[in-house]
């Protein structure tokens, strides 16, 4: 076995590979970009080598810098993780040339499966059923091929990955435009605009088979995974085994996957991906090969959970020349496992990636969590915004789903937006629970799954209570900690206003103080994060006086901070006032707001009239003299 390996990756997968290496007594070398100098993966390794600035092509994609790091540290093998250089045959060759073991398949196998079109042709010849369609090199006459296949069709970039360069076309009239845009995207992303056209499978389910091969001619499959829950052809929830998979179909698809691996002389961990027409369950005559991923997959933990096999350990053993010591008959599914990809993104806003500091990051401990970030880390725009993968294993599918939903409801994340609540809703959706899934699930249920819900009353009450108690860590200039900052006429501080997603919410604090099961954190920008059952609500304490005071030294007037009714006028023209003296009391949103003098000055005129209903921004009091 190796003494030391280098992990040519970052984030959760780098941390995960190191975990197994460490357990096996193997030393670890991390490589990192400047943006990752303080990252979890660099900290987790025995040694860490800087390889360049953050853009991947200047660091994580730089074969020369990575090989140099391996040489300098004496690493005998390189694990590429997924993404980056993991399916780069030239890199695998360069490793061999440098006398370093590439922990992955032989370059020839990577190349054979590298282009979807050529891989399909090869598989077709080997007797593996492929999605009906056209996958030739000739790119003229694609439209007539589409007509032959019959609409709907899918145009796919042959060099594609990550769902890019893919367009579904439902009618012939749309073909040219879709082709053009798929080609444009493919050219930009992969440097090649070659596409294939295939039948768009009805009620598609993504079923994939984990395969493993050693250098001694043994090829096994480690059962299937179902990755049908996708958004824009990208996996969101993965599970194993596939719901509704019969023993007969499993045997068939497993054998086909093994054939695929053997055909290309595969070694190591790989995944053969299939698309199934699940309109009548999963049956062999409606399952077709899509492509093979010649690396460890993001979703490998669900396979580990149901087989009890550490796939990274197997990868290391195979790379070191050991033979697989299990037989196919030893591999049986145990229970059910499900994984979700917890992302820094905003489902309510088109799943826009969210960047920022993880001011709070608490992940559940009763399930497996593969994370690549820690509390305090910054999620940047340079890399994939995945925070963690969370994986639950149960006796039954229902049990696994319930366990994961429960675990996610304990997640606390503040400082950026995440898809956690979206994931919880997905796991608890009745159709999902019933196993009624296909790749259109998320799109079909988006309205139920994606929107940001308003904070529940207990989140607001807990926030108000924290503010009232003043038990939030503060700085001196914090408006909430100042005695004069938030005054309610004639009452103690029992009611407060918050601004949540641009809307006002008023809350009255219950007395005596109550435990709400809500964790309140004051963010660095002064807002409050209320974390409740896996959701985070960002609350801004509406403090009209503070808003005014912030401008106080510069302004010569007091404006109504919100629409309301003037219920008291306490000053008149010519009167001298001291900073903080009450001027006008406004009733708005069922409460009274005292507007006071921002500085020591003289009242020039009073525009506020008792009993008047005024608009936001209306001038209430003007002061004499120059603004300081
Ligand atoms: P990529 O390599 O970009 O991930 P894939 O070929 O693996 O592309 O396809 C990604 C996803 O697109 C699949 O998981 C599936 O949801 C969908 N898909 C691919 N081919 C078809 C097809 N012929 N019919 C229906 N859906 C498909």
């Amino acid at each position: 076995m190796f003494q030391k390996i280098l992990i040519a990756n970052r984030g959760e997968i780098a941390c995960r590979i190191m975990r197994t290496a460490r357990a096996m007594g193997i030393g670890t070398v991390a490589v990192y970009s400047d943006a990752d100098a303080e990252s979890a993966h660099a900290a987790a390794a025995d040694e860490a080598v800087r390889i360049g600035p953050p853009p991947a092509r200047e660091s994580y994609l730089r074969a020369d810098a990575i090989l140099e790091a391996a040489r300098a540290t004496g690493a005998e093998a390189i694990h590429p993780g997924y993404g980056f250089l993991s399916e780069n045959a030239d890199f695998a060759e360069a490793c061999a040339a440098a006398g370093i073991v590439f922990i992955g398949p032989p370059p020839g196998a990577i190349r054979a499966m590298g282009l979807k079109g050529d891989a399909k042709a090869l598989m077709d010849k080997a007797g593996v059923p492929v999605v009906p369609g056209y996958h030739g090199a000739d790119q003229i006459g694609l439209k007539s091929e589409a007509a032959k296949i019959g609409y709907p069709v899918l145009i796919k970039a042959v060099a594609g990955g990550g769902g890019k360069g893919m367009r579904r076309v439902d009618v012939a009239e749309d073909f040219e435009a879709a082709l053009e845009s798929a080609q444009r995207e493919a050219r930009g992303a992969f440097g090649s605009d070659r596409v294939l056209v295939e039948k768009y499978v009805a009620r598609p389910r993504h079923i994939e088979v984990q395969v493993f091969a050693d250098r001694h001619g043994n090829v096994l499959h480690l059962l299937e995974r179902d990755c049908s829950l996708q958004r824009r052809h990208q996996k969101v929830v993965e599970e194993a085994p596939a719901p509704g998979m019969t023993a007969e179909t499993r045997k068939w698809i497993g054998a086909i996957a093994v054939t695929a691996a053997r055909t290309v002389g595969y070694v190591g961990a790989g995944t053969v991906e299939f698309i199934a027409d699940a309109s009548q369950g999963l049956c062999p005559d409606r399952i077709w090969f899509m492509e093979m991923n010649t690396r460890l997959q993001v979703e490998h933990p669900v396979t580990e959970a149901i087989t009890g096999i550490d796939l990274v350990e197997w990868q290391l053993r195979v790379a070191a020349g050991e033979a697989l010591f299990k037989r196919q008959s030893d591999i049986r599914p145990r229970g059910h496992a499900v994984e979700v990809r917890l992302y820094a993104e905003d489902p309510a806003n088109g799943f826009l990636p969210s960047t920022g500091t993880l001011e709070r990051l608490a992940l559940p401990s009763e399930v497996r969590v593969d994370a690549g970030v820690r509390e305090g880390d910054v999620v940047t725009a340079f890399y994939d915004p995945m925070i963690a993968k969370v994986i639950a294993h149960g006796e039954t599918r229902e049990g696994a789903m319930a366990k994961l939903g429960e675990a996610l409801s304990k997640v606390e994340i503040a400082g950026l937006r995440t898809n956690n609540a979206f994931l919880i809703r997905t796991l608890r959706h009745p159709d999902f629970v019933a196993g009624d899934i296909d790749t259109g699930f998320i799109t079909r249920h988006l309205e139920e799954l994606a929107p940001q819900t308003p904070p529940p009353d207990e989140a607001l009450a807990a926030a108000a209570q924290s503010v009232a108690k003043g038990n939030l860590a503060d700085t001196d200039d914090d408006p909430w900690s100042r005695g004069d900052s938030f005054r309610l006429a004639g009452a103690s501080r029992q009611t407060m206003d918050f601004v949540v997603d641009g809307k006002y919410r008023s809350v009255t604090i219950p007395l005596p103080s109550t435990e709400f099961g809500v964790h309140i954190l004051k963010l660095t920008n002064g807002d409050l994060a209320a974390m409740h059952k896996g959701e985070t609500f960002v609350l801004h304490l509406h403090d009209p006086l503070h808003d005014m005071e912030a401008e106080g030294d510069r302004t010569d007037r007091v404006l109504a901070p919100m629409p309301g009714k003037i219920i008291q006028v306490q000053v008149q023209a010519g009167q001298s006032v001291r900073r903080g003296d009450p001027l006008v009391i406004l009733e708005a949103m069922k409460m009274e707001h005292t507007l006071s003098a921002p500085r020591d000055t003289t009242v020039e005129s009073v525009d506020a009239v008792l009993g008047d209903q005024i608009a936001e921004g209306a001038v209430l009091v003007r002061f004499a003299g120059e603004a300081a």
Side-chain angles (χ1 to χ4, degrees):
M1 186 43 66
F2 311 113
Q3 298 290 305
K4 194 192 268 189
I5 62 167
L6 181 146
I7 296 96
N9 215 298
R10 62 178 305 284
E12 68 86 16
I13 194 62
C15 295
R16 188 261 166 275
I17 293 163
M18 286 183 222
R19 209 157 53 230
T20 289
R22 179 151 306 129
M24 294 172 73
I26 300 169
T28 55
V29 180
V31 291
Y32 64 89
S33 71
D34 295 332
D36 281 339
E38 304 297 326
S39 69
H41 84 274
D46 297 327
E47 295 167 74
V49 181
R50 177 194 174 270
I51 44 168
R57 68 179 178 286
E58 292 177 49
S59 45
Y60 296 106
L61 286 173
R62 269 194 56 197
D64 59 337
I66 289 165
L67 284 168
E68 180 47 39
R71 263 193 298 269
T73 54
E76 306 144 78
I78 296 182
H79 195 309
Y82 53 69
F84 296 131
L85 294 167
S86 62
E87 294 182 281
N88 185 318
D90 294 343
F91 179 65
E93 260 161 12
C95 287
I100 291 168
V101 176
F102 175 76
I103 302 171
I110 300 177
R111 288 209 176 93
M113 290 297 188
L115 295 177
K116 291 179 207 279
D118 299 348
K120 275 183 80 176
L122 186 65
M123 290 298 112
D124 194 21
K125 233 168 69 190
V128 171
V130 300
V131 186
Y134 172 80
H135 44 255
D138 188 353
Q139 300 287 288
I140 301 161
L142 290 170
K143 191 177 177 182
S144 61
E145 293 293 343
K148 267 192 254 166
I149 297 162
Y151 290 90
V153 299
L154 193 64
I155 301 172
K156 263 191 208 180
V158 298
K164 287 205 194 98
M166 224 187 281
R167 296 288 182 281
R168 174 185 162 159
V169 192
D170 292 317
V171 288
E173 299 80 77
D174 297 344
F175 189 86
E176 275 101 351
L179 175 64
E180 213 170 282
S181 90
Q183 286 173 328
R184 195 176 333 110
E185 191 169 291
R187 216 177 300 124
F190 316 111
S192 155
D193 61 8
R194 184 181 148 193
V195 298
L196 61 80
V197 184
E198 64 186 26
K199 182 77 193 157
Y200 186 85
V201 171
R203 205 155 154 70
R205 269 175 68 183
H206 176 116
I207 309 284
E208 58 184 36
V209 178
Q210 176 71 54
V211 293
F212 236 103
D214 63 18
R215 294 196 197 146
H216 310 280
N218 302 304
V219 187
L220 290 180
H221 75 83
L222 304 186
L223 312 170
E224 81 284 355
R225 296 183 285 258
D226 188 316
C227 312
S228 298
L229 251 76
Q230 306 183 343
R231 202 183 68 79
R232 299 209 181 146
H233 307 301
Q234 293 257 61
K235 299 160 189 168
V236 178
V237 182
E238 302 107 339
E239 58 182 300
M245 177 65 80
T246 62
E248 186 202 359
T249 304
R250 171 172 298 133
K251 201 165 165 204
W252 175 84
I253 200 173
I256 291 287
V258 166
T259 300
R262 280 197 192 283
T263 304
V264 295
Y266 205 77
V267 175
T271 295
V272 185
E273 295 192 330
F274 297 88
I275 191 90
D277 170 350
S279 51
Q280 285 161 46
L282 296 173
C283 29
D285 59 346
R286 287 163 191 266
I287 299 178
W288 301 275
F289 169 91
M290 268 194 308
E291 65 164 347
M292 181 171 187
N293 288 331
T294 53
R295 54 169 160 83
L296 189 67
Q297 302 265 100
V298 176
E299 60 274 21
H300 76 276
V302 292
T303 297
E304 297 188 317
I306 63 156
T307 61
I309 295 166
D310 180 331
L311 294 197
V312 173
E313 180 187 337
W314 275 35
Q315 284 190 296
L316 295 172
R317 292 194 183 285
V318 163
E322 292 182 24
L324 295 176
F325 59 94
K326 290 219 187 201
R327 281 165 311 180
Q328 191 62 58
S329 56
D330 298 334
I331 315 289
R332 291 160 188 274
R334 196 175 54 84
H336 201 98
V338 57
E339 170 183 288
V340 290
R341 302 186 184 192
L342 177 55
Y343 275 108
E345 64 182 15
D346 185 3
N349 198 358
F351 293 84
L352 214 67
S354 179
T355 56
T357 301
L358 287 158
E359 298 193 40
R360 172 75 176 153
L361 176 64
L363 297 168
S365 54
E366 71 272 30
V367 291
R368 174 171 171 178
V369 173
D370 283 16
V373 287
R374 304 150 300 184
E375 189 167 281
D377 283 353
V378 179
V379 175
T380 69
F382 290 118
Y383 309 110
D384 179 86
M386 183 147 71
I387 296 170
K389 306 186 307 205
V390 188
I391 306 103
H393 183 213
E395 291 288 311
T396 61
R397 181 174 189 270
E398 229 180 351
M401 299 306 166
K403 191 167 163 185
L404 188 55
E406 186 57 32
L408 293 182
S409 69
K410 293 180 191 150
V411 165
E412 291 185 357
I413 301 175
L416 38 71
R417 303 229 178 213
T418 79
N419 65 345
N420 195 51
F422 165 82
L423 294 172
I424 295 172
R425 280 178 226 139
T426 302
L427 291 172
R428 293 180 175 165
H429 193 285
D431 291 358
F432 179 74
V433 173
D436 185 11
I437 49 171
D438 59 64
T439 61
F441 182 93
I442 290 177
T443 309
R444 212 160 44 238
H445 299 290
L446 205 59
E447 295 282 291
E448 297 156 75
L449 303 174
Q452 168 80 47
T453 53
D457 291 344
E458 54 260 54
L460 291 162
Q465 193 168 272
S466 296
V467 174
K469 282 187 186 161
N471 61 1
L472 296 160
D474 287 324
T475 51
D476 283 350
D477 62 354
D478 177 1
W480 301 336
S481 62
R482 286 203 315 262
D484 64 345
S485 68
F486 195 84
R487 233 178 308 177
L488 302 171
S492 61
R493 305 161 180 218
Q494 294 177 33
T495 301
M496 289 180 202
D497 298 337
F498 289 100
V499 184
V500 190
D501 285 328
K503 293 190 193 73
Y504 287 102
R505 289 282 298 270
S506 203
V507 62
T508 302
I509 312 161
L511 295 168
S513 120
T514 311
E515 183 51 58
F516 292 104
V518 179
H519 181 191
I520 304 294
L521 177 77
K522 190 172 166 204
L523 300 170
T524 42
N525 69 1
D527 285 350
L528 294 185
M531 292 167 275
H532 179 63
K533 294 187 179 167
E535 288 198 67
T536 301
F537 306 96
V538 177
L539 314 176
H540 174 78
L541 181 66
H542 181 59
D543 180 357
L545 186 80
H546 173 61
D547 293 348
M548 198 128 29
E549 278 186 353
E551 297 215 338
D553 288 348
R554 287 178 286 109
T555 189
D556 61 345
R557 64 192 65 187
V558 170
L559 306 180
M562 63 191 95
K565 186 178 168 189
I566 308 292
I567 57 168
Q568 265 190 53
V569 178
Q570 300 184 318
V571 288
Q572 50 197 5
Q575 189 177 327
S576 317
V577 291
R578 302 196 57 109
R579 178 173 187 267
D581 281 352
L583 307 170
V584 171
I585 299 179
L586 181 70
E587 186 187 73
M589 296 183 311
K590 291 188 251 153
M591 44 183 291
E592 297 176 5
H593 304 269
T594 302
L595 306 174
S596 32
R599 57 193 159 95
D600 299 352
T601 182
T602 304
V603 174
E604 188 183 74
S605 65
V606 178
D607 300 42
V609 176
L610 190 67
D612 267 10
Q613 198 68 41
I614 46 106
E616 180 176 340
V619 177
L620 304 179
V621 176
R622 292 175 207 268
F623 303 116
E626 285 286 294

